[in-house]
Amino acid sequence: MLYLLLFILVSIGSVSYYNGSVLGIKSGLLSLVCMILIAYGIYLFTDWLTQGHNLVTGLYMMLSPAAGLIVTIMLKSARVR
């Protein structure tokens, strides 16, 4: 479980760095904070829902960096036009 959480933290950091390099430093910091809050919310909800099953909770926490990357791509494509 520790490696899964480390992977999630690295992916959140890399997505926020990419977001910061594409859209600016303020956007990168905002996405970092938002993805951490989303991951924490997902952790609390799925931990309650699965009654403490850590592997399922960790797998659902991977949705946070994926959502951050999707938002980055959407904002980047809207900015080009």
Side-chain angles (χ1 to χ4, degrees):
M1 184 65 190
L2 183 65
Y3 292 119
L4 186 60
L5 291 176
L6 183 64
F7 175 74
I8 291 168
L9 287 175
V10 167
S11 61
I12 285 175
S14 62
V15 168
S16 66
Y17 176 76
Y18 175 73
N19 194 0
S21 67
V22 170
L23 298 174
I25 199 85
K26 290 181 185 177
S27 180
L29 289 175
L30 182 65
S31 70
L32 176 69
V33 170
C34 288
M35 281 189 286
I36 288 174
L37 290 175
I38 289 171
Y40 185 66
I42 290 172
Y43 172 76
L44 289 178
F45 181 70
T46 56
D47 192 45
W48 167 75
L49 192 64
T50 61
Q51 299 173 355
H53 198 283
N54 287 334
L55 185 61
V56 175
T57 301
L59 289 174
Y60 277 110
M61 283 176 64
M62 285 189 208
L63 293 173
S64 175
L69 188 61
I70 289 170
V71 168
T72 303
I73 291 170
M74 288 172 29
L75 288 174
K76 181 183 170 190
S77 66
R79 191 174 191 182
V80 171
R81 292 180 183 182

